[in-house]
């Protein structure tokens, strides 16, 4: 396993280098001049040129690339928009995203997986219809609409929760304060709604497939209780596709629950990415994209490692 | 009866003089439609960050929002030299920054000289293209020297409504650190900036102008306007910097929210590329103008709530707007018969083909997109198969700025907008002079070049005689509008949602968010 992890980490470095080159090319191809956009409408050619020099955009492309790539690892890459380094601004906003993503994901897992199991076990029952209908609605409903509806119902009509924002924090974490927790409920539920729906449907279909296998019939014929059959025999085999999906969702929530963060004014990296793109902050877009890529790659690695623990038939050595 | 009346008048006078009823303390929460990016006034060029900057810093002069005329602020007075090429400012004594640094002429000179120094690449240098340098005469006297080729420059004074940075503190902290933890001499001290979430400032107990009524002000960026509307309704914010037009009637009926409006210094327009056929053909432009009703378009976009029809580029809130003449003598109304006849003639003359299908470009802004769509739909009725192409800002500016390889540009019609300082120069110079038809960095996106218009606008900047200036701007604008270079669209009305617990607040026509200044001192009723 150890050599597998080392090999995968080595591959990750290659992927990141390739990705950084691709990203740089895309940034060059994107329409719009960073210096011009930062200088604003009405800027004189001299002002734009001065800004271009300051941003290093007058240098040859390979110099510009190296400045971005090396700057990210030395921590000196500048997020010009915020007059700070990319590392600092990402660190500033990451806590909010991680916190929201984690709560949203946990909520999705703890609600959707039991719901999917019940739906499969009680196929064609009222519970099954209820889960499939609700999950269909969850998948079909845009996150921003869900968030706005939650705000109207729980903040405006019943005055139970704050409308938006992050509220009070302790050491940068919202979940350590009551005000912070109250602020997190609407964004976390909105964010989890789509994940919840997908996971419930995936769990249901995966469970249905496993429940029709011969080894389940054998387990039942041995006289094992239904609970043991479902939890230890069926669910353990059905969890692999769900695990893959959850792994992808980890990457997605860090990549930025852009719509959730924008609608609920949550100060995370999703919104930061939109701000960076709209202001053509090359350094910030570059750094943030690579950072998100690292998170994606790491979450896939963790999922692959978990496969081996969940299913002993899978080995990597 | 007489006694009661007298007593009432006396009480009213006492209230007025001593401000009884004004509550001290409390927190005011202000919404911003976009995230803040800079708190260093010397590099900041977005109106949203200026909300907080205005609270933390003092400006050299104060632009009165009612008269739009400069009044004393940090500068207690000023005078022009005989040739009008120098302005000497006399700085108020005894003003201190929040860390105790004394604000004097050194700081004034430093602030402006830093911005115009190419080394610092400040986007604000554009505002001071006319400024050669600021000299320190003595501790409390600073002299602004205009560049010889731009001298005299009549609109100079308007530009000096600018926040002053304490030099020593700035140099000690460096630009990055200062931007994150700004120190000014304004009514509020900076406390913290959680990017994307909020900026908090607290009362400056020793403020020289007047004691701020509020203890604390929080600025909250909420990018989704629908969310901001809910926050306003619930009381999560006290003032929103915008309102959804459809929501205005609903808020007007509420007991605890009021809608405040004021005409802004903005101008939105539909325009043509004057370097390309058929757009350079006046008959074509007139045909497009008369093919649709701008009045109906403005009504459809704003429902009579947050925008008024424009007839020229100078907003109605400014002098030299010539609105009456332009609306009655030059603006066109919808005339399908005329439009049909003109398009037929253009086809017969070979100016446009039977299959002519132009594209109308606009930024990703629902209002300008709607205006473009209305124009395109009406053009279709005259056999011109126009389509609308909204472009993201970067792509749109790339297109409109043109390039050396494609100096005529690949566009014909477009919808854009402009806002400026309170002087007609800020609109007419940038949008219509040849100096601004520069490949790679244009503001005159039509690339309209008329020597008579250039002369009028540039001459108007060199005289301080208001009648002369007005005459020249009016003349230039009439020439431009008679040429149908632009089809003037609308002027936006600054619209704020304000909770009724907020008092002494006024909407600023320059899109600012004043809290304490010579005219106002906002206070809130506390529960």
């Amino acid at each position: 396993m150890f050599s597998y992890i080392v090999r995968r980490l080595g591959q990750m470095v290659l992927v990141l280098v390739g990705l950084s080159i691709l990203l740089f090319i895309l940034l060059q191809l994107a329409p719009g001049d960073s210096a011009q956009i930062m200088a604003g409408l009405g800027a004189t050619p001299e002002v734009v040129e001065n800004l271009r020099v300051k941003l290093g955009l007058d240098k040859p492309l390979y110099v510009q690339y190296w400045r971005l790539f090396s700057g990210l690892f030395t921590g000196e890459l500048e997020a010009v928009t915020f007059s700070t380094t990319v590392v600092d601004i990402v660190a500033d906003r990451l806590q909010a995203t991680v916190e929201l993503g984690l709560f949203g994901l946990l909520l999705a897992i703890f609600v959707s997986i039991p719901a999917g199991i019940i739906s499969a076990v009680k196929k064609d029952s009222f519970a099954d219809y209820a889960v499939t209908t609700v999950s269909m609605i969850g998948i079909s409903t845009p996150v921003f609409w869900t968030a706005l509806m939650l705000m109207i119902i729980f903040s405006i009509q019943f005055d139970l929760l704050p409308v938006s924002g992050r509220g009070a924090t302790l050491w940068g974490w919202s979940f350590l304060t009551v005000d912070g927790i109250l602020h997190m409920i609407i964004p976390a539920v909105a964010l989890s709604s789509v994940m919840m729906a997908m996971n419930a449907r995936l769990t249901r279909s995966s469970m249905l497939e496993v429940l029709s296998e011969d080894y389940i019939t054998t387990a039942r014929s041995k006289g094992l209780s239904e609970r043991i059959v479902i939890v230890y025999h069926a669910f353990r085999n059905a969890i692999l596709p769900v695990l893959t999906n959850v792994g992808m969702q980890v990457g997605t929530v860090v990549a930025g629950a852009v719509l959730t963060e924008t609608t609920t004014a949550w100060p995370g990296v999703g919104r930061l990415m939109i701000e960076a793109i709209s202001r053509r902050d090359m350094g910030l877009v570059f750094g943030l994209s690579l950072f998100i890529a690292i998170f994606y790659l790491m979450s896939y690695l963790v999922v692959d490692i978990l496969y081996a623990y969940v299913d002993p038939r899978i080995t990597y050595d | 009866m007489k006694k009661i009346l007298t007593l009432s008048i006396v009480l009213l006078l006492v209230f007025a003089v001593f401000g009884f009823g004004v509550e001290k303390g409390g927190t005011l929460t202000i919404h911003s439609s976009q995230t803040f990016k800079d708190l260093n006034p010397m590099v900041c060029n977005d109106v949203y960050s200026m909300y907080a900057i205005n609270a933390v810093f003092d400006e050299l002069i104060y632009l009165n929002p009612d008269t739009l005329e400069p009044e004393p602020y940090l500068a207690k007075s000023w005078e022009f030299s005989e040739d009008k090429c120098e302005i000497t400012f006399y700085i108020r004594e005894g003003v201190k920054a929040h860390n105790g640094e004394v604000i004097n002429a050194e700081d004034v000179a430093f602030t402006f000289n830093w911005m115009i120094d190419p080394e610092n690449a400040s986007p604000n240098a554009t505002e001071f293209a006319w400024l050669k340098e600021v000299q320190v005469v003595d501790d409390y006297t600073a002299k602004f020297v205009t560049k010889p080729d731009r001298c005299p420059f009549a609109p100079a004074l308007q530009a000096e409504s600018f926040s002053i940075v304490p030099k020593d503190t700035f140099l000690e902290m460096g630009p990055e650190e200062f931007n994150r933890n700004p120190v000014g001499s304004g009514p509020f001290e900076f406390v913290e900036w959680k990017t994307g979430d909020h900026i908090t400032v607290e009362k400056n107990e020793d403020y020289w102008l007047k004691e701020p009524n509020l203890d604390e002000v929080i600025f909250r960026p909420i990018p989704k306007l629908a969310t901001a509307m809910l926050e306003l309704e619930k009381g999560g914010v006290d003032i929103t910097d915008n309102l959804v037009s459809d929501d205005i009637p609903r808020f007007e009926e509420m007991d605890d929210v009021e809608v405040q409006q004021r005409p802004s210094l903005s101008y939105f327009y539909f325009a043509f590329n004057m370097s390309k056929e058929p757009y350079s053909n006046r008959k074509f432009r007139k045909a497009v103008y008369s093919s649709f009703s701008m009045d109906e378009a403005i009504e459809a976009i704003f429902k009579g709530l947050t925008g008024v029809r424009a007839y020229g580029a100078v907003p109605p809130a400014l002098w030299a707007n010539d609105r009456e003449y332009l609306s009655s003598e030059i603006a066109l109304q919808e005339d399908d018969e005329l439009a049909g006849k003109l398009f037929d003639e253009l086809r017969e003359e070979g100016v446009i083909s039977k299959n002519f299908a132009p594209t109308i470009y606009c930024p990703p802004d629902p209002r300008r997109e709607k205006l473009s769509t209305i124009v395109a739909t009406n053009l279709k009725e005259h056999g011109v198969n126009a389509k609308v192409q909204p472009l993201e800002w970067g792509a749109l500016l790339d297109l409109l700025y043109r390039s050396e390889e494609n100096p005529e540009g690949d566009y014909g019609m477009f919808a854009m907008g402009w806002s400026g300082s309170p002087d007609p120069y800020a609109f007419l110079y940038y949008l219509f002079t040849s100096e601004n038809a520069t490949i790679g960095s244009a503001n005159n996106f039509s690339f309209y070049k008329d020597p008579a218009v250039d002369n009028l606008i540039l001459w108007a900047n060199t005289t301080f005689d208001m009648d002369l200036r007005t005459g020249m701007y009016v003349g230039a604008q009439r020439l431009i509008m008679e040429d149908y270079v632009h089809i003037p669209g609308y002027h936006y009305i600054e619209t704020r949602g304000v909770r009724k617990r907020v008092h002494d607040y006024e909407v600023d026509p320059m899109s600012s968010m004043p809290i304490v200044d010579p005219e106002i001192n906002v206070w809130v009723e506390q529960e």
Side-chain angles (χ1 to χ4, degrees):
Chain A
M1 178 62 87
F2 179 73
S3 62
Y4 170 76
I5 294 173
V6 172
R7 203 165 60 243
R8 282 287 297 269
L9 288 173
Q11 285 170 354
M12 269 171 61
V13 173
L14 290 178
V15 169
L16 284 174
V17 171
L19 191 67
S20 69
I21 295 169
L22 188 67
L23 195 59
F24 182 75
I25 293 170
L26 287 175
L27 284 172
Q28 296 303 316
L29 293 176
D33 175 358
S34 303
Q36 185 70 66
I37 290 170
M38 285 183 188
L41 272 180
T44 60
E46 295 76 32
V47 170
V48 177
E49 193 49 41
N50 292 337
L51 208 53
R52 193 170 281 125
V53 172
K54 187 184 173 190
L55 297 172
L57 300 175
D58 57 329
K59 301 272 188 314
L61 285 180
Y62 69 90
V63 177
Q64 288 186 46
Y65 168 76
W66 184 245
R67 189 181 63 85
L68 293 177
F69 191 72
S70 61
L72 189 61
F73 292 96
T74 56
E76 288 166 3
L77 182 59
E78 232 191 312
V80 187
T81 307
F82 294 95
S83 297
T84 185
T85 63
V86 170
V87 174
D88 280 349
I89 191 77
V90 170
D92 208 25
R93 304 285 279 266
L94 184 65
Q95 244 176 324
T97 288
V98 166
E99 188 171 51
L100 175 64
L102 204 66
F103 273 83
L105 202 60
L106 287 176
L107 195 63
I109 291 169
F110 284 115
V111 173
S112 63
I113 292 180
I117 295 172
I118 292 167
S119 179
V121 173
K122 310 269 183 195
K123 190 171 177 288
D124 295 334
S125 68
F126 174 76
D128 181 26
Y129 291 136
V131 169
T132 48
T133 308
V134 170
S135 56
M136 181 61 83
I137 293 170
I139 285 178
S140 326
T141 310
V143 171
F144 68 86
W145 192 84
T146 309
L148 285 172
M149 288 305 112
L150 291 171
M151 287 174 195
I152 290 170
I153 296 166
F154 294 101
S155 305
I156 304 295
Q157 297 299 327
F158 294 109
D159 200 17
L160 295 171
L161 297 169
V163 177
S164 67
R166 201 167 173 222
T169 56
L170 183 63
W171 301 310
W173 297 107
S174 297
F175 75 94
L176 295 178
T177 67
V178 175
D179 183 55
I181 291 171
L182 290 176
H183 275 85
M184 200 158 45
I185 293 176
I186 288 179
V189 172
L191 178 63
S192 68
S193 63
V194 173
M195 295 191 288
M196 223 185 265
M198 285 178 70
N199 288 341
R201 290 181 71 82
L202 202 61
T203 309
R204 179 182 180 273
S205 59
S206 187
M207 280 292 286
L208 282 176
E209 198 181 319
V210 171
L211 285 171
S212 62
E213 294 285 342
D214 290 344
Y215 60 82
I216 298 295
T217 316
T218 310
R220 282 184 175 137
S221 64
K222 283 197 298 186
L224 293 176
S225 73
E226 192 60 14
R227 198 172 62 85
I228 300 284
V229 172
I230 301 294
V231 176
Y232 291 100
H233 292 256
F235 179 63
R236 193 151 181 198
N237 284 291
I239 200 176
L240 283 182
V242 181
L243 199 61
T244 311
N245 197 43
V246 169
M248 286 165 69
Q249 286 171 346
V250 171
T252 310
V253 293
V254 173
V258 177
L259 288 175
T260 310
E261 289 184 358
T262 305
T263 311
T264 61
W266 191 263
V269 292
R271 256 175 73 199
L272 183 63
M273 183 62 115
I274 298 292
E275 288 156 18
I277 292 170
S278 65
R279 287 164 185 171
R280 287 293 187 286
D281 191 335
M282 296 258 284
L284 189 51
V285 174
F286 186 85
L288 208 48
S289 304
L290 283 187
F291 166 78
I292 289 166
I294 292 171
F295 227 93
Y296 257 107
L297 292 170
M298 289 302 289
S299 66
Y300 285 167
L301 177 61
V302 171
V303 168
D304 284 347
I305 294 166
L306 281 177
Y307 276 167
Y309 285 101
V310 174
D311 187 347
R313 289 170 300 180
I314 298 173
T315 55
Y316 293 118
D317 293 322
Chain B
M1 187 65 191
K2 220 173 179 180
K3 278 183 181 171
I4 294 173
L5 196 67
T6 314
L7 190 66
S8 309
I9 292 169
V10 169
L11 278 173
L12 270 174
L13 282 172
V14 169
F15 283 145
V17 172
F18 295 102
F20 286 127
V22 172
E23 289 183 34
K24 298 269 181 191
T27 300
L28 177 77
T29 307
I30 295 176
H31 152 252
S32 157
S33 301
Q34 282 189 28
T35 307
F36 310 110
K37 57 173 196 162
D38 292 300
L39 292 183
N40 172 5
M42 297 191 292
V43 296
C44 176
N45 66 343
D46 74 300
V47 292
Y48 305 99
S49 304
M50 288 307 291
Y51 297 170
I53 286 176
N54 285 342
V56 176
F57 294 87
D58 279 328
E59 292 174 349
L60 183 61
I61 55 169
Y62 170 69
L63 283 179
N64 187 307
D66 296 320
T67 62
L68 297 173
E69 288 298 321
E71 290 179 10
Y73 205 175
L74 264 183
K76 56 185 180 187
S77 63
W78 53 86
E79 62 187 17
F80 283 90
S81 62
E82 209 167 307
D83 61 0
K84 308 280 188 195
C85 289
E86 293 172 357
I87 318 172
T88 304
F89 284 92
Y90 301 98
I91 314 300
R92 196 175 296 277
E93 291 179 34
V95 177
K96 284 183 180 174
H98 304 140
N99 62 351
E101 184 181 338
V102 175
I103 301 291
N104 58 21
E106 278 281 353
D107 303 298
V108 173
F110 171 76
T111 302
F112 288 91
N113 289 335
W114 192 94
M115 281 189 288
I116 59 174
D117 183 351
E119 281 271 307
N120 299 318
S122 168
N124 292 332
T126 302
E127 297 279 323
F128 304 102
W130 51 272
L131 181 63
K132 185 177 168 228
E133 62 175 337
V134 181
Q135 299 167 352
V136 178
V137 179
D138 62 40
D139 278 358
Y140 291 97
T141 311
K143 190 190 284 177
F144 284 61
V145 183
T146 312
K147 282 178 183 166
D149 59 331
R150 302 293 293 268
C151 170
F153 184 67
L157 203 54
Q158 312 285 348
E160 275 127 23
S161 156
F162 209 90
S163 300
I164 301 303
V165 168
K167 177 185 171 187
D168 294 342
T169 308
F170 180 84
L171 292 176
E172 200 177 301
M173 292 170 84
E176 282 80 20
E177 176 61 16
F178 188 85
N179 193 42
R180 303 288 299 171
N181 297 288
V183 179
S185 59
F188 294 91
E189 278 183 51
F190 173 81
V191 176
E192 68 167 355
W193 178 10
K194 290 275 178 199
T195 61
D197 194 50
H198 67 268
I199 289 173
T200 305
V201 297
E202 67 182 15
K203 176 180 177 172
N204 174 6
E205 298 282 355
D206 305 318
Y207 191 46
W208 60 273
L209 179 64
K210 55 177 103 165
E211 184 195 354
N213 288 325
L214 296 161
D215 278 346
E216 187 182 59
V217 182
I218 297 171
F219 300 91
R220 279 189 60 195
I222 303 173
K224 184 104 182 148
L225 204 49
T227 307
M229 297 300 97
L230 294 175
E231 284 284 20
L232 178 66
E233 194 173 339
K234 189 175 163 65
V237 297
D238 295 302
I239 301 171
T240 57
D241 71 358
N242 201 349
L243 273 187
V244 180
S245 287
D246 291 342
D247 274 343
I248 290 179
R250 190 168 69 87
F251 280 119
E252 278 176 337
E253 282 175 14
M254 282 185 189
D255 292 335
D256 43 10
V257 175
E258 65 178 342
V259 177
Q260 288 193 18
Q261 294 191 304
R262 190 170 207 156
S264 75
L265 299 182
S266 65
Y267 164 61
F268 295 85
Y269 59 92
F270 186 91
F272 302 91
N273 177 352
M274 300 290 282
S275 317
K276 259 185 149 60
E277 279 282 354
Y279 314 101
S280 56
N281 187 315
R282 186 174 179 273
K283 191 187 281 183
F284 175 81
R285 300 195 296 273
K286 188 174 182 181
V288 174
Y289 199 162
S290 42
S291 71
F292 74 102
S293 165
M294 186 60 91
D295 283 327
E296 284 174 21
I298 302 305
E299 181 57 30
I301 297 167
F302 295 104
K303 301 182 178 76
L305 296 169
T306 54
V308 292
R309 181 172 172 182
Y311 295 102
V314 180
L318 271 182
W319 50 279
N321 61 65
D322 198 23
R323 194 168 166 80
E324 208 170 301
Y325 179 86
L326 294 175
S327 62
S328 60
E329 303 299 323
I330 296 180
L332 297 181
Q333 302 302 324
E334 183 177 17
D335 186 340
D336 284 329
E337 204 177 311
L338 174 68
K341 183 174 153 276
L342 292 174
F343 279 123
D344 286 345
E345 283 175 18
L346 288 163
R347 285 190 193 95
E348 278 168 26
E349 290 162 12
V351 178
I352 57 170
S353 67
K354 280 188 177 167
N355 305 321
F356 183 53
T359 303
I360 300 169
Y361 293 97
C362 64
D365 161 32
R367 295 184 187 111
R368 276 170 274 185
E369 207 174 320
K370 209 165 179 176
L371 175 62
S372 306
T373 307
I374 289 170
V375 176
T377 311
N378 281 275
L379 285 177
K380 278 185 184 141
E381 288 174 15
H382 295 285
V384 177
N385 197 20
K387 65 171 194 235
V388 177
Q389 178 69 68
L391 286 179
E392 182 271 340
W393 272 109
L396 183 64
L397 291 184
D398 259 7
L399 183 81
L400 299 180
Y401 283 145
R402 312 185 184 187
S403 62
E404 295 294 347
E405 296 77 35
N406 188 6
E408 290 189 347
D410 274 331
Y411 63 94
M413 296 185 280
F414 56 97
M416 282 294 277
W418 190 258
S419 60
S421 57
D423 194 295
Y425 155 84
F427 292 82
L428 299 177
Y429 170 74
Y430 288 108
L431 293 174
F432 301 108
T433 55
S434 308
E435 284 182 16
N436 281 282
T438 331
I439 288 170
S441 183
N443 296 301
N444 173 357
F445 297 124
S446 290
F447 278 65
Y448 174 66
K449 293 175 185 173
D450 182 332
V453 168
D454 282 352
N455 286 337
L456 283 170
I457 295 172
L458 296 174
W459 283 340
N461 300 337
T462 61
T463 174
F464 284 69
D465 181 324
M466 285 307 282
D467 290 339
L468 259 179
R469 288 192 75 198
T470 305
M472 285 193 262
Y473 286 139
V474 164
Q477 205 174 193
R478 285 183 187 181
L479 286 176
I480 297 161
M481 295 304 156
E482 273 168 3
D483 238 352
Y484 308 128
V485 183
H486 284 191
I487 302 177
Y490 52 88
H491 305 288
Y492 187 58
I493 301 173
E494 286 290 347
T495 306
R496 310 268 195 254
V498 183
R499 288 192 67 82
K500 284 188 179 161
R501 79 182 195 107
V502 179
H503 297 269
D504 206 16
Y505 173 77
E506 278 181 25
V507 182
D508 186 82
M510 285 156 285
S511 310
S512 182
M513 195 64 82
I515 307 163
V516 178
D517 66 23
E519 296 285 319
I520 61 167
N521 191 357
V522 175
W523 59 278
V524 290
E525 286 171 34
Q526 290 157 63
E527 289 140 28

